[in-house]
Amino acid sequence: MNIAVPTREQREAKLEGMGCKRKRVEDIRFTQGKGNYVDDVKLPGMLFGDFVRSQYAHARVKKIDDSKALKVPGVLAVITAETLKTVNLAWMPTLAGDVQMVLADGKVLFQNQEIAFVVAVDRYAAADGVEAVEVEYEDLPVLVDAFKALAPDAPLLREDIKDKMTGAHGPRRHHNHIFEWSMGDKDLTDAAFAKAEVTTKDVISYHRTHPSPLETCQCVASFDKIKGELTVWGTFQAPHVIRTVASLLSKIPEHKIHVIAPDIGGGFGNKVGAYPGYICAIVASIVTGKPVKWVEDRIENLTATSFARDYHMTTEIAATKDGKVTALRVHVLADHGAFDACADPSKWPAGFFNICTGSYDFPVAHLVVDGIYTNKAPGGVAYRCSFRVTEAAYCIERAMDIMAQKLGMDAAEFRLKNFVRREQFPYHSALGWEYDSGDYHTAMNKAMEAVGYKQLRAEQAEKRAAFKRGETREIMGIGISFFTEIVGAGPSRNCDILGVAMFDSCEIRVHPTGAAIARMGTKSQGQGHETTYAQIIATEIGIPADDIMVEEGNTDTAPYGLGTYGSRSTPVAGAAIAMAARKIKAKAQMIAAYMLEVHEADLEWDIDGFRVKGLPEKSKTMKELAWAAYNSPPPGLEPGLEAVSYYDPPNMTYPFGAYFCVMDIDVDTGVYKIRRFYALDDCGTRINPMIIEGQVHGGLTEAFAIAMGQEIRYDEIGNVVNGSFMDFFIPTAVETPKWETDYTVTPSPHHPIGAKGVGESPNVGGVPCFSNAVNDAFAFLGTRHIQMPHDYWRIWEVAKGLGLHG
Amino acid sequence: MSVIPAPFSYHRPKSIAEATALLAEHNDEARILAGGQSLIPMMKFRLAAPEHLVDVGAIAELKGIQRVGDALVIGAMTTQHELQLSKTATDAAPILKEASLLIADPQVRYMGTLGGNVANGDPGNDMPAVMMCLDAAYRIMGAAGPRTVKARDFYEGTYATALATGEILTAIEIPVPPAGHGYAYEKLKRKIGDYATAAAGVVLTTRGGRIATCAIALSNLADKAVLATDAAATLIGTALEKPALDKAIAAARAIMSPAADTRGTTEYRTAVGGVMVERALRRALARAKG
Ligand SMILES: Cc1cc2nc3c(=O)[nH]c(=O)nc-3n(C[C@H](O)[C@H](O)[C@H](O)COP(=O)(O)OP(=O)(O)OC[C@H]3O[C@@H](n4cnc5c(N)ncnc54)[C@H](O)[C@@H]3O)c2cc1C
């Protein structure tokens, strides 16, 4: 016999389990152009729908004349609010407890709002039909400036609720007011400020931007009149939620609705909500009896489906003279646009913004958020962020820099002095969270050493002196951000969407040959779930990741789950996977004990199977156990090897990180160069280091874009001035800085595998880091807070304001 | 809403004569299609809705780059990519390649043509200013026969040029600048694929290290490409010393009137327009031999 017995290392490596830089299995089809996206769905007889949209930001719709459109060859129908009223769908509920017009009902409230849906035999006829619909408007005063929304004489936007002075989140105090939400202890906070030695107060705005996934929002709806069944293929980050909402709205029983999210080309929060396009396509399919496709174009995506941010945060910090923070007070003016269509867990109108105490040990804090209506597109989604965490991180990380500057302290030293200490975890924050684990000092010190922080400051001091002597026109900024995120929504006690608790799920079936399929309630939009989920199972039950197929997105086959956003997939579904795997392992152990004729307790797990303690040669691999599970189970045990787990997490997870940016700015043009960007992330247990790195690269690139120019800007009459990729900043490889990544590992104590989630961290932590670099560059010339975005011309304006142009 | 053009008929003539005949037949309803990188986006937005598209891509006479004595002759249908690869063009007037590489992105440059770039009349196009610096002339063919118009006389305003309805720009004729000339094209843009926030081209010659001749032209800083004649005149006989340099920059800024847009305010774009002029002048002077 000459059989080489594989070593433990070889057996371990064969699994490609957790910790392995496994290549992304989904890329095999994506890199060959073989992905299957919604627009690839082509059904016999399929029709196309396209929208007539409002040219005005605020106007009464006097008349919609579709007579010419109906004469365009190929146009079959023009659906308006009047049509939708016959099926009670002219308005739809939003995820935030508000209602939203599906099609303009008497008036329009933002530019490019949906007015009519033209249904035609192909895209070309639909576009010609749209052009031929004539809409008569009477314009109304437009409200763009959030700070003017609550003025007594501000225009009335929402006539439908003008007398309804209580909204989904309590009393409204003005016709443009949506809610007031407060957290923390006001009295204690006020008292701390009253006796504070040093205070700062600044309006820190996080401008409106957009998640802008490369694939826009789209769907194909197909209603089968005979069976009474509806199938919808769509770009859905949360397919099950869409099915439930569709059933509640359409009254079609939920088992007769099939929602399928095929491959998705990026989501970033843009594909969580329900949009008029989905409703109109469904109604059009019911009316015509044919499948109807709706595909958004880029302008529509940027101007009409969910935006992100638009928070104006008045931020106050109280501190002692020697640099210890004593209180935080934040008031947010939250611009939600024309309808409150935020995609937050229902009890959280400002998401998890109360993570705004960040990584610091604030003894007391108080937060008030006022949501308001303006004539802008609805939304307020979590753009690669866990429900307003990005806004919160920006708020606190900017404010900490401002306070450090006022105290004359180094910004890194000030942070180190105020971090929550390792021994304080689990840490109860002043605004109500229980941080699960962290080791901030270790991470910060490692990062400072890696970038050579002291030397950078020394170099900066020299450059500043040279600038003052007139020897250079370049200034140097060092940006720091140390963020704490809150991800993994979430525990059912405080997280639900329209009453549906935010658990997640996994079903694993191990086949007789030892291969397996796993199905989840989440939905990848590029995160690589097919790769990483299989790795968790591989490590848990000893089957090679390559032998495990991961499937998501079909509500008929996948167990119910709440989808993918807010970095919840690994914290919630990842836990469900481990729990389901452990059920399988427990059954396999019973089978192994029977086969090896020992007690279960006499067995131990060994990489890919069970062995008898003390007798390692007596063992059964998972592959052998799978065969036995089907074909020769122990007497009394039912055959088969599968398990389902629904996981309701006990707590959120709290990833954190230390980021540093070094930037050089030409004061004559406002042109900046990112010389260096270093990102240290601690996301707990690391499942696939390569995917983590990819996620960090992508998130940092978005953060770079947002901080340095990506915005949705309105002019004074409510027109979006940058609604295409010519003006909406999406960096190419040329503009994108080089990223250096690093890590520490502080596992989550309550998560089955200790993982925390990382996809959004770089966006959350990156934005303040870039912005702090710009602010830091100018600080020695006397600036205090420079608003984002920092595109060239705005940086130049700062230099001009400082008199640097002679 | 859809970015889908209105219906149109498509023609693909094989010769200039055939093309001019088609254009004459359909008159105002016809539009020439070259690389399509400006026209097709406009059609998708329905800002342009020609009923007849005359694609001149199959006309062999419109292709090619040749050195004819002291002139460089570039066929209108030469793409930016072909221009960049042409040693003949780069040897004769290296500013062409330098500017071409700053246009849009590689994908657009594979399709976009030199003729389309100069005929388009968009102040954001970069080649018109380059052609003004080089004092190029455009060969034009119409139903009434051929004529030639200097780049410096060609531009009238945004999308308004000396081209009459039915005329085709067939080639660009560039007097080859003397050996040892200095040149530079400076362009400030937000990202790859963007038009200029401000851009300036310079072609100059020197004698004894001092500027002997100088042409400065500006892109996207007015409603059309403009030649900064006064600015250039100020610098003759100098080596860019102050105050002559400051006077030249002020003179250049005086003819700038960029619109405020997402690239910045009028004030900003004018300010950096001056910076581009200065940087182009310095680089051009540093390159000049003589
Ligand atoms: C994303 C993007 C970025 C861009 N950035 C830049 C930039 O930075 N700088 C820049 O200069 N350009 C830029 N462009 C425009 C690009 O260079 C175009 O290729 C160029 O403007 C037009 O050339 P074309 O061959 O594509 O012409 P087309 O788009 O086919 O035609 C343009 C116009 O010229 C007319 N025309 C074309 N050829 C002739 C001819 N021979 N005779 C008479 N009329 C003619 C057409 O009828 C049409 O009106 C950009 C384009 C895109 C899509």
Side-chain angles (χ1 to χ4, degrees):
Chain A
M1 293 277 280
N2 201 8
I3 299 169
V5 179
T7 63
R8 302 197 74 227
E9 287 71 30
Q10 284 168 334
R11 283 160 59 209
E12 183 101 48
K14 190 169 168 230
L15 295 181
E16 295 194 283
M18 285 196 277
C20 170
K21 293 185 182 179
R22 183 176 184 229
K23 283 203 178 145
R24 288 171 34 117
V25 292
E26 40 277 87
D27 289 349
I28 295 167
R29 62 178 190 278
F30 293 153
T31 54
Q32 296 183 71
K34 297 285 193 244
N36 179 39
Y37 298 91
V38 173
D39 207 10
D40 294 320
V41 174
K42 295 185 174 78
L43 302 176
M46 190 169 73
L47 306 176
F48 288 80
D50 194 356
F51 281 114
V52 176
R53 292 180 179 273
S54 174
Q55 294 163 16
Y56 290 86
H58 196 194
R60 231 166 269 299
V61 175
K62 308 285 279 185
K63 193 169 160 216
I64 303 170
D65 181 355
D66 62 8
S67 54
K68 286 190 188 126
L70 288 169
K71 289 194 192 105
V72 171
V75 171
L76 303 176
V78 178
I79 295 174
T80 63
E82 296 312 312
T83 331
L84 293 179
K85 279 180 186 167
T86 62
V87 284
N88 206 16
L89 278 175
W91 292 68
M92 63 178 182
T94 70
L95 293 179
D98 195 359
V99 289
Q100 174 179 352
M101 289 179 208
V102 174
L103 290 171
D105 185 11
K107 72 187 288 196
V108 284
L109 287 158
F110 64 95
Q111 189 197 27
N112 283 350
Q113 184 178 335
E114 299 79 2
I115 291 181
F117 191 67
V118 176
V119 184
V121 293
D122 60 36
R123 285 183 177 146
Y124 298 88
D128 293 344
V130 166
E131 176 118 320
V133 173
E134 286 169 4
V135 182
E136 212 177 286
Y137 304 89
E138 175 191 313
D139 57 342
L140 294 166
V142 177
L143 174 64
V144 172
D145 183 350
F147 288 95
K148 294 186 180 144
L150 300 181
D153 59 347
L156 167 65
L157 307 192
R158 293 290 299 277
E159 288 163 25
D160 60 307
I161 51 168
K162 72 171 190 295
D163 301 320
K164 208 176 146 224
M165 292 322 282
T166 305
H169 306 287
R172 304 167 58 216
R173 59 172 194 273
H174 181 278
H175 52 258
N176 294 329
H177 188 236
I178 310 173
F179 62 82
E180 180 189 300
W181 186 65
S182 69
M183 291 294 269
D185 192 319
K186 180 176 186 325
D187 295 341
L188 283 180
T189 306
D190 289 349
F193 271 93
K195 61 169 200 266
E197 291 172 2
V198 190
T199 61
T200 57
K201 180 174 184 178
D202 298 87
V203 179
I204 297 172
S205 289
Y206 195 143
H207 58 280
R208 181 177 276 239
T209 181
H210 196 280
S212 54
L214 270 193
E215 178 201 35
T216 58
C217 297
Q218 36 200 274
C219 73
V220 178
S222 178
F223 185 70
D224 182 329
K225 279 195 168 143
I226 312 291
K227 293 192 198 152
E229 290 182 22
L230 173 68
T231 307
V232 187
W233 291 261
T235 46
F236 305 135
Q237 291 182 231
H240 284 99
V241 179
I242 294 284
R243 186 183 72 190
T244 302
V245 171
S247 173
L248 293 172
L249 288 181
S250 68
K251 309 283 184 292
I252 300 171
E254 198 168 353
H255 68 291
K256 292 196 167 184
I257 300 181
H258 316 287
V259 173
I260 299 164
D263 286 329
I264 297 185
F268 312 112
N270 184 229
K271 294 168 180 169
V272 174
Y275 294 120
Y278 305 156
I279 309 264
C280 289
I282 291 170
V283 170
S285 177
I286 293 173
V287 170
T288 60
K290 299 238 171 87
V292 176
K293 183 183 270 190
W294 169 69
V295 175
E296 223 182 19
D297 69 35
R298 181 60 56 193
I299 298 173
E300 294 176 300
N301 181 256
L302 287 172
T303 59
T305 46
S306 293
F307 76 93
R309 327 296 193 226
D310 218 349
Y311 259 33
H312 305 283
M313 307 170 286
T314 305
T315 312
E316 297 171 79
I317 292 182
T320 61
K321 271 190 292 217
D322 63 350
K324 217 43 189 140
V325 296
T326 55
L328 174 71
R329 188 158 58 197
V330 182
H331 177 269
V332 180
L333 188 63
D335 187 340
H336 285 230
F339 306 97
D340 187 10
C342 282
D344 293 319
S346 298
K347 294 191 191 80
W348 302 88
F352 302 152
F353 187 83
N354 54 324
I355 192 74
C356 64
T357 53
S359 314
Y360 313 103
D361 189 12
F362 280 96
V364 291
H366 186 237
L367 162 69
V368 177
V369 182
D370 276 307
I372 52 134
Y373 292 121
T374 58
N375 288 122
K376 301 178 194 163
V381 294
Y383 170 5
R384 204 171 186 145
C385 129
S386 179
F387 314 117
R388 306 292 187 182
V389 171
T390 312
E391 290 90 327
Y394 184 64
C395 162
I396 188 64
E397 287 305 295
R398 250 341 279 123
M400 287 297 281
D401 260 25
I402 295 170
M403 179 52 102
Q405 187 185 343
K406 182 155 186 188
L407 290 166
M409 259 176 99
D410 178 84
E413 190 194 322
F414 180 53
R415 284 176 170 82
L416 283 164
K417 186 155 187 166
N418 288 290
F419 279 150
V420 175
R421 295 183 313 280
R422 188 169 52 183
E423 61 276 13
Q424 287 175 285
F425 291 94
Y427 171 80
H428 292 266
S429 78
L431 291 176
W433 296 117
E434 184 191 310
Y435 293 23
D436 61 346
S437 65
D439 183 352
Y440 299 165
H441 286 95
T442 300
M444 186 66 163
N445 287 323
K446 183 174 183 185
M448 286 170 69
E449 202 153 302
V451 298
Y453 184 67
K454 276 213 181 91
Q455 297 89 301
L456 283 174
R457 285 291 178 203
E459 183 193 343
Q460 185 185 43
E462 268 169 40
K463 278 203 108 172
R464 285 176 171 178
F467 183 84
K468 289 203 156 161
R469 288 193 301 268
E471 292 162 14
T472 174
R473 299 295 288 159
E474 222 177 57
I475 54 177
M476 169 180 171
I478 302 168
I480 305 175
S481 123
F482 195 103
F483 63 95
T484 293
E485 265 197 292
I486 168 170
V487 309
S492 58
R493 72 188 125 84
N494 56 15
C495 290
D496 67 83
I497 289 184
L498 301 175
V500 183
M502 294 182 74
F503 56 81
D504 225 289
S505 59
C506 172
E507 182 205 88
I508 304 174
R509 294 184 189 172
V510 182
H511 306 317
T513 55
I517 181 165
R519 295 187 168 111
M520 246 70 55
T522 49
K523 175 62 206 168
S524 177
Q525 308 118 45
Q527 291 89 340
H529 290 175
E530 289 168 49
T531 307
T532 50
Y533 285 171
Q535 291 182 256
I536 299 175
I537 299 171
T539 294
E540 288 286 342
I541 63 173
I543 292 177
D546 274 348
D547 293 349
I548 302 163
M549 179 156 101
V550 172
E551 194 186 271
E552 298 175 302
N554 184 336
T555 54
D556 283 345
T557 52
Y560 202 102
L562 274 280
T564 293
Y565 43 85
S567 282
R568 64 185 300 281
S569 297
T570 297
V572 191
I577 294 166
M579 299 313 264
R582 286 172 196 181
K583 288 182 191 176
I584 284 174
K585 198 164 155 183
K587 184 168 180 182
Q589 189 166 4
M590 289 162 75
I591 298 166
Y594 174 74
M595 292 171 82
L596 295 166
E597 298 177 344
V598 294
H599 248 279
E600 274 175 55
D602 294 329
L603 294 173
E604 62 184 5
W605 179 253
D606 179 41
I607 301 173
D608 52 9
F610 285 99
R611 67 181 180 198
V612 178
K613 285 180 192 162
L615 288 171
E617 67 284 1
K618 284 195 74 179
S619 65
K620 288 285 168 201
T621 63
M622 193 47 116
K623 197 175 162 79
E624 292 167 318
L625 295 169
W627 184 261
Y630 285 90
N631 304 312
S632 50
L637 200 63
E638 62 181 56
L641 194 58
E642 54 184 68
V644 185
S645 170
Y646 280 76
Y647 189 79
D648 181 5
N651 191 5
M652 314 273 188
T653 64
Y654 297 75
F656 57 93
Y659 291 1
F660 283 81
C661 172
V662 186
M663 187 186 290
D664 299 302
I665 294 173
D666 169 5
V667 298
D668 290 326
T669 55
V671 173
Y672 55 80
K673 286 207 176 63
I674 314 290
R675 200 199 304 173
R676 205 166 165 196
F677 197 100
Y678 168 90
L680 178 148
D681 277 281
D682 191 321
C683 58
T685 303
R686 291 159 60 84
I687 300 166
N688 182 328
M690 185 200 71
I691 286 201
I692 291 175
E693 201 169 311
Q695 290 289 308
V696 173
H697 284 192
L700 287 176
T701 305
E702 284 176 339
F704 164 66
I706 297 167
M708 307 314 286
Q710 183 182 86
E711 66 172 331
I712 295 291
R713 184 147 62 100
Y714 288 83
D715 67 12
E716 64 286 356
I717 55 164
N719 299 311
V720 176
V721 300
N722 47 10
S724 86
F725 277 176
M726 187 50 104
D727 291 310
F728 183 83
F729 182 39
I730 301 280
T732 71
V734 175
E735 292 79 41
T736 303
K738 178 175 156 45
W739 311 117
E740 295 170 53
T741 59
D742 204 346
Y743 63 97
T744 55
V745 178
T746 313
S748 166
H750 63 78
H751 188 277
I753 59 169
K756 286 187 169 185
V758 74
E760 299 166 340
S761 304
N763 194 321
V764 172
V767 172
C769 193
F770 288 108
S771 184
N772 279 344
V774 174
N775 274 278
D776 181 67
F778 282 103
F780 78 113
L781 298 166
T783 57
R784 179 178 165 112
H785 173 64
I786 302 166
Q787 297 288 9
M788 283 195 293
H790 306 296
D791 38 13
Y792 296 157
W793 70 272
R794 286 177 171 106
I795 292 179
W796 180 88
E797 294 276 342
V798 175
K800 182 191 151 214
L802 291 166
L804 301 182
H805 299 140
Chain B
M1 220 155 65
S2 291
V3 273
I4 286 175
F8 57 86
S9 309
Y10 176 81
H11 310 267
R12 196 170 161 86
K14 292 263 169 4
S15 67
I16 294 177
E18 202 187 321
T20 45
L22 274 165
L23 291 169
E25 181 188 342
H26 298 293
N27 229 319
D28 285 341
E29 259 87 70
R31 208 57 190 268
I32 294 172
L33 177 71
Q37 299 303 297
S38 289
L39 183 54
I40 290 177
M42 284 196 281
M43 289 170 64
K44 285 185 167 188
F45 286 133
R46 300 199 175 200
L47 294 173
E51 284 172 28
H52 295 270
L53 266 193
V54 180
D55 180 348
V56 293
I59 304 176
E61 304 154 72
L62 296 178
K63 283 263 177 196
I65 301 174
Q66 281 165 42
R67 176 83 183 243
V68 186
D70 283 343
L72 183 69
V73 181
I74 304 176
M77 284 305 289
T78 305
T79 64
Q80 301 290 347
H81 180 69
E82 288 162 350
L83 174 71
Q84 289 161 20
L85 291 184
S86 162
K87 192 170 173 327
T88 309
T90 304
D91 285 350
I95 192 174
L96 291 169
K97 182 175 179 180
E98 177 165 311
S100 181
L101 281 168
L102 294 170
I103 290 174
D105 52 42
Q107 287 94 325
V108 170
R109 298 195 298 253
Y110 282 126
M111 297 296 293
T113 66
L114 222 57
N117 199 298
V118 299
N120 192 27
D122 181 340
N125 282 126
D126 290 292
M127 281 300 169
V130 174
M131 297 308 166
M132 285 180 159
C133 284
L134 292 167
D135 197 17
Y138 303 149
R139 290 185 189 165
I140 294 166
M141 179 62 109
R147 64 183 183 121
T148 301
V149 179
K150 289 238 180 185
R152 293 178 181 178
D153 303 325
F154 186 77
Y155 299 98
E156 292 164 3
T158 304
Y159 298 116
T161 67
L163 271 183
T165 305
E167 283 187 321
I168 302 178
L169 193 154
T170 57
I172 300 163
E173 205 178 295
I174 298 168
V176 174
H181 73 280
Y183 65 91
Y185 193 73
E186 282 284 341
K187 176 174 177 180
L188 178 64
K189 55 180 176 172
R190 295 170 298 183
K191 59 175 274 194
I192 290 296
D194 194 15
Y195 289 91
T197 300
V202 169
V203 172
L204 53 75
T205 58
T206 49
R207 201 171 307 121
R210 309 210 144 258
I211 295 172
T213 65
C214 179
I216 306 171
L218 313 172
S219 298
N220 224 12
L221 287 166
D223 65 343
K224 56 183 177 181
V226 285
L227 195 67
T229 324
D230 292 348
T234 314
L235 294 167
I236 303 301
T238 76
L240 299 180
E241 303 86 351
K242 293 189 174 200
L245 176 65
D246 289 340
K247 259 179 83 184
I249 294 167
R253 283 193 175 124
I255 59 165
M256 296 177 192
S257 55
D261 64 9
T262 51
R263 295 178 181 83
T265 58
T266 298
E267 188 193 6
Y268 171 69
R269 295 183 59 194
T270 307
V272 294
V275 176
M276 293 304 108
V277 169
E278 176 175 352
R279 290 182 184 175
L281 282 167
R282 287 192 190 285
R283 258 189 334 111
L285 182 63
R287 275 170 167 164
K289 294 184 192 76

